[in-house]
Amino acid sequence: MDKSEGQQDNRRRKIRWYILLVVLVAVGASSCVIESIVTKKNASDDTIVYASMGDSIAEGHYASTLATTFPAVFASLVEENYHEKVEIHHYAKYGRTSSFGVGQIDRVRQLKPDVITIEFGTNDANPVNGSDVDQFAQNMRTMLNELSYIDGLTPQIVLVTTWNHGKASEPFDTVVKNLGKEYNLPVADIKSVWDKDPEKTAGPPGLKTFNGTSDRWHPNDEGMKQIGEIIYQAYQSKYRQPSETVDNQKKD
């Protein structure tokens, strides 16, 4: 083999290696695309599936309409700022403690939500229910362990403190805040809503609402609005800026 033939042979080898490299890169890229598609839960990229877990506060007692409850206020802020539709699913019931939340775990997991708010402790903190702060902590931990990772998805979870039991709320709020630190989750501290100006954010009693007749203790529309705004601020501070989508955030 002369020198020119050797050079041609070397060129042919380089071309074959180059073609092989291009094929491998293309295969790898297509695998990444496939992975990004299958990890998206929603059929529509611009729909956020939101699970609201809690007690009467999350259920909406006594907002005047369903649209003025805090889950709806939070959802509307997300829609307004991120231009994505929010699909709300309610897992909340009047008078329930954190044990009710544990009982909802399977239903929430089946939903595979993008976003979850967990608002328990208000009834646990009520001495009438005979609740124990240690049991509350255990129930909350069970929910977080089961809901922080669902079939390859990592829902964006926001924890919410308790509503208006004065000093009785404090140990339960401490549990919520400590769990937020432990699990690296944002906490929406709503104490200011009921503590600063309760005459403005609760009651008056006797008003007809979609959930019955209001009392002087549950949040009214203004209270719900403030709760929803605090939850949104906690959510935004941890998870997203207005230019980001849920799917983009999950890839980080």
Side-chain angles (χ1 to χ4, degrees), residues 52-247:
S52 171
M53 303 178 69
D55 47 42
S56 60
I57 310 302
E59 192 178 17
H61 298 258
Y62 284 103
S64 59
T65 67
L66 186 61
T68 56
T69 62
F70 85 67
V73 172
F74 167 67
S76 68
L77 287 169
V78 172
E79 290 182 335
E80 177 183 345
N81 287 279
Y82 300 107
H83 310 292
E84 296 166 318
K85 180 181 178 182
V86 179
E87 182 181 288
I88 307 174
H89 295 258
H90 297 275
Y91 301 91
K93 196 73 174 174
Y94 188 97
R96 298 302 194 266
T97 66
S98 55
S99 297
F100 171 80
V102 172
Q104 299 299 302
I105 288 174
D106 287 343
R107 292 182 63 203
V108 176
R109 285 183 62 87
Q110 289 173 10
L111 179 67
K112 298 181 182 178
D114 299 300
V115 177
I116 305 172
T117 56
I118 302 178
E119 177 275 315
F120 284 107
T122 297
N123 291 304
D124 297 80
N126 187 345
V128 173
N129 292 324
S131 300
D132 178 87
V133 70
D134 292 331
Q135 183 63 54
F136 171 69
Q138 181 179 327
N139 289 341
M140 289 291 291
R141 195 179 298 279
T142 298
M143 282 183 267
L144 293 176
N145 289 341
E146 293 293 325
L147 297 175
S148 294
Y149 191 78
I150 304 173
D151 295 342
L153 301 169
T154 53
Q156 296 170 336
I157 299 175
V158 180
L159 304 179
V160 185
T161 59
T162 66
W163 177 261
N164 201 359
H165 279 305
K167 289 190 178 297
S169 289
E170 292 177 2
F172 295 87
D173 286 348
T174 297
V175 167
V176 174
K177 293 174 183 178
N178 287 342
L179 288 172
K181 293 178 182 177
E182 180 181 342
Y183 286 82
N184 193 27
L185 297 173
V187 175
D189 187 348
I190 64 171
K191 181 179 180 180
S192 63
V193 183
W194 55 263
D195 192 41
K196 285 185 177 179
D197 193 357
E199 295 300 318
K200 180 180 179 181
T201 57
L207 300 179
K208 299 298 181 182
T209 77
F210 82 105
N211 253 331
T213 304
S214 68
D215 57 22
R216 67 176 67 254
W217 183 80
H218 280 83
N220 54 25
D221 284 355
E222 177 60 27
M224 289 289 181
K225 176 177 177 290
Q226 292 186 27
I227 294 171
E229 290 171 346
I230 292 172
I231 292 173
Y232 173 74
Q233 290 166 5
Y235 170 76
Q236 185 186 46
S237 68
K238 165 66 179 177
Y239 295 115
R240 306 172 72 191
Q241 294 302 312
S243 61
E244 295 176 329
T245 66
V246 164
D247 287 315

